[in-house]
Structures are given as structure tokens and as C-alpha cells.
Amino acid sequence: MQSHNDQLACRGCGKVHQGARLITLPDGTQVGSYSEAYRAYTEAKWVFDTLPVTVNRRRKKTPQISRRDYIMAVLDKRGQESADELANNVTKLWKAAK
């Protein structure tokens, strides 16, 4: 079992920053606001909430990248594991929203 301070530790430097707080994710787990789990959740939430499923290139006011395009860019930059994790997190958010 992790202590309260272990959950709040920054994933980069290992310190507990002043603004760190515990966050409850939609699945009920509690994580620190500087944790990798919270970063992955916020990225998936941004992709789900902001990016369209498909792109209408004629409409300039809409984002010009689709969810799939973004996930493929993650695949190119960070690898298969990161792209799969993001796709699974977006799918979980989509199922929870139904």
C-alpha cells in the first residue's frame, strides 16, 4: 500500500510539489495530480472531448486532426504501447459516456 505522500510524488523528480492533490479517476482509483495515471487520463479525456471522430477538411473552424490521426501520431512518437494505452483509455471514456 502506498502512503499518501507516495501517491502525490511527481513522476519526473520524485518530490511532492505544493499544488499536488489526490484525484479520483472515473474507475474509482485515487492517484496524485502529478502521476503517470493522471497524465494518461487527462490526455485521453482531451482526445475524447476535443477531437472529432472524423475531420471535415472544408470546415476550418473544426480541429483538423481526428482522434485516429492523433493516436497514430502518438504511435510514431512514443511507440505502440503508448498508442494502445491511449486508445484503450479513450475507448473506456467513450463507453462510460454512453
Side-chain angles (χ1 to χ4, degrees):
M1 176 94 184
Q2 289 185 334
S3 73
H4 180 73
N5 279 343
D6 288 344
Q7 288 179 315
L8 294 178
C10 173
R11 65 186 183 94
C13 67
K15 296 178 182 175
V16 177
H17 295 284
Q18 184 175 356
R21 62 191 192 285
L22 279 178
I23 306 290
T24 303
L25 299 180
D27 66 0
T29 58
Q30 282 196 330
V31 297
S33 58
Y34 282 82
S35 69
E36 175 62 23
Y38 185 64
R39 187 215 55 81
Y41 165 72
T42 55
E43 181 182 29
K45 184 158 177 47
W46 177 81
V47 169
F48 181 71
D49 290 344
T50 307
L51 299 179
V53 175
T54 59
V55 174
N56 181 349
R57 305 255 184 234
R58 287 184 238 154
R59 294 190 68 202
K60 297 298 180 195
K61 291 186 179 185
T62 60
Q64 296 297 302
I65 184 171
S66 68
R67 293 176 189 166
R68 183 180 184 283
D69 293 339
Y70 184 85
I71 292 170
M72 295 309 286
V74 167
L75 173 65
D76 292 342
K77 298 262 189 225
R78 299 193 315 230
Q80 186 69 47
E81 189 176 330
S82 293
D84 289 344
E85 179 186 10
L86 177 58
N88 289 337
N89 288 341
V90 170
T91 301
K92 286 178 190 175
L93 289 173
W94 175 72
K95 287 181 178 179
K98 283 169 84 177

